[in-house]
Amino acid sequence: MDKSLLTAYLEQVQRYPLLSAEQEKILSYKIQKGDNHAKMQLVNSNLRLVVSISKKYANNTSNFMDIIQEGNLGLLTAASKFNYSYKTRFATYAYPWISQCIIRYLQNKNSAISIPYRKDESLRRLRRSKTYLAQSLGRQPSVKELAVYMDTSEKVIEDIQKYEFSYTSINSEIKGTNGITYGDSICDNRQLSVENTIIKDFEINKIKNLVDNLPDRERQVIYFRYNLLQGNKPKTLRQIAELLGISAESVRQTELRALKTLRKAAAGVV
């Protein structure tokens, strides 16, 4: 990145005066009434806060400006949500909003999933344009506004936006599933699965005979987990945990013990 550009920016943000607590409340009151000029005054007076926070996340000057721009989006959001009735200074309120935007940007930027350089550069340019327009307009820009500003078509903007992606933990709950996680929905193809170790070698009635010799708790888990009860669907770890009154982790451990026993039985060891 051009250091002169960064230097010019840092000099510019220093020109905006800091605000007193009373001035912040007055501006917040105006913002709640829809005054965009007041919003930008509050934002501009706190741009140096974003720079300060960005320094904690920047590894080098090459991505420093990008991090600042992402932090400015968080600052803009904080300015929109800050209420004059809050008994705290705006900087304290804005800090987590700024950090959240920076961290999200870095997570996506440093993801194990990479994209070609040209696409990445287009995405960086789009993000910078979004930041600039958001600060100028006092709101998030539309696709049409981005297209006009970047001198391109709306279709190109939509294509660039497709380069963005996010990821989540497999332990995150799937919306509308009452506690089922993404991990619960993934098929278990490990060597411990019943399908790979037993079902391929025995008919279903022989499998049930083996399962029926397990201790009560292990037998229940296997029946629920692998749909050995006719007319029922396989249940997730959490669903079984609720039925048996134990934790999902206990169900998983019980399943592993049962499968280990069944593997030995299938091999004629026990």
Side-chain angles (χ1 to χ4, degrees), residues 73-217:
L73 290 177
L75 178 64
L76 186 64
T77 300
S80 300
K81 295 180 176 293
F82 184 67
N83 193 287
Y84 56 89
S85 64
Y86 294 160
K87 296 180 180 180
T88 184
R89 294 298 301 270
F90 175 70
T92 303
Y93 176 81
Y95 194 103
W97 286 101
I98 297 169
S99 298
Q100 181 183 38
C101 281
I102 292 174
I103 292 171
R104 184 185 299 119
Y105 163 74
L106 292 175
Q107 286 177 336
N108 288 336
K109 182 66 179 174
N110 298 325
S111 172
I113 304 175
S114 60
I115 60 177
Y117 174 78
R118 289 187 179 180
K119 291 184 178 181
D120 182 58
E121 189 62 30
S122 297
L123 186 55
R124 286 159 59 91
R125 181 169 172 247
L126 176 62
R127 285 171 174 162
R128 288 195 293 267
S129 300
K130 278 184 178 180
T131 301
Y132 175 80
L133 289 176
Q135 290 178 311
S136 301
L137 300 172
R139 58 173 172 78
Q140 292 296 326
S142 65
V143 172
K144 183 176 181 179
E145 289 167 334
L146 285 166
V148 172
Y149 178 75
M150 296 178 65
D151 191 24
T152 188
S153 67
E154 295 180 34
K155 176 65 165 55
V156 170
I157 298 297
E158 292 172 350
D159 288 341
I160 295 175
Q161 288 178 330
K162 293 177 182 178
Y163 304 156
E164 292 189 286
F165 61 88
S166 60
Y167 53 89
T168 187
S169 168
I170 62 172
N171 295 319
S172 299
E173 180 178 334
I174 302 175
K175 291 183 178 179
T177 59
N178 192 28
I180 298 176
T181 67
Y182 290 101
D184 290 336
S185 65
I186 298 175
C187 178
D188 185 359
N189 292 318
R190 297 170 300 175
Q191 291 300 313
L192 289 175
S193 70
V194 171
E195 290 90 341
N196 289 339
T197 57
I198 301 175
I199 291 181
K200 66 181 180 180
D201 297 320
F202 290 88
E203 296 176 357
I204 190 65
N205 61 325
K206 292 182 179 180
I207 296 172
K208 286 184 176 180
N209 289 335
L210 291 175
V211 174
D212 288 341
N213 289 323
L214 294 172
D216 290 343
R217 179 59 56 81

